[in-house]
Amino acid sequence: MDKNTAVEFAGRQEAADLLTERGARELLQQAVKAELSTFMEAFQDRRLDDGRAAVVRNGHLSVRDIQTGIGPVTMKVPKVRSKDGKPVTCRSALVPPYLCKARALES
């Protein structure tokens, strides 16, 4: 009974960090990118007189930190612009404006 059967894993701490903060950020970025592509598909037929797209992607909003259960996650939300004068706003369901904390933390 004196025999220790515990096994030490080399590099365990580095793997845990990689799966949490970085993995969560990449997963959220992919989901926001998928939302944006769905939004842009809805406006693909909206064209200017010369045939160019009227609704285009235009950089990112300000980078912000969102508090989650695993810690702060830095997010870049893409921004959309209309070139034909009709306003268009792309709002992410995952990262709404002014979100600073995940809903799970609030409850």
Side-chain angles (χ1 to χ4, degrees), residues 28-104:
L28 279 171
Q29 285 297 140
Q30 289 175 0
V32 168
K33 192 182 283 189
E35 274 186 332
L36 178 68
S37 66
T38 303
F39 179 81
M40 294 298 285
E41 284 175 10
F43 291 99
Q44 70 184 2
D45 295 334
R46 195 160 141 186
R47 299 282 174 178
L48 296 174
D49 293 335
D50 59 0
R52 293 181 296 147
V55 179
V56 294
R57 176 136 181 254
N58 188 29
H60 290 92
L61 298 173
S62 299
V63 175
R64 58 188 170 154
D65 289 333
I66 299 172
Q67 286 291 354
T68 64
I70 59 170
V73 175
T74 303
M75 286 293 303
K76 289 187 342 182
V77 179
K79 153 171 94 162
V80 174
R81 180 171 71 108
S82 172
K83 298 194 308 186
D84 63 358
K86 299 175 189 171
V88 173
T89 304
C90 179
R91 303 252 189 229
S92 172
L94 296 170
V95 187
Y98 308 108
L99 177 74
C100 294
K101 271 194 264 186
R103 291 184 187 106

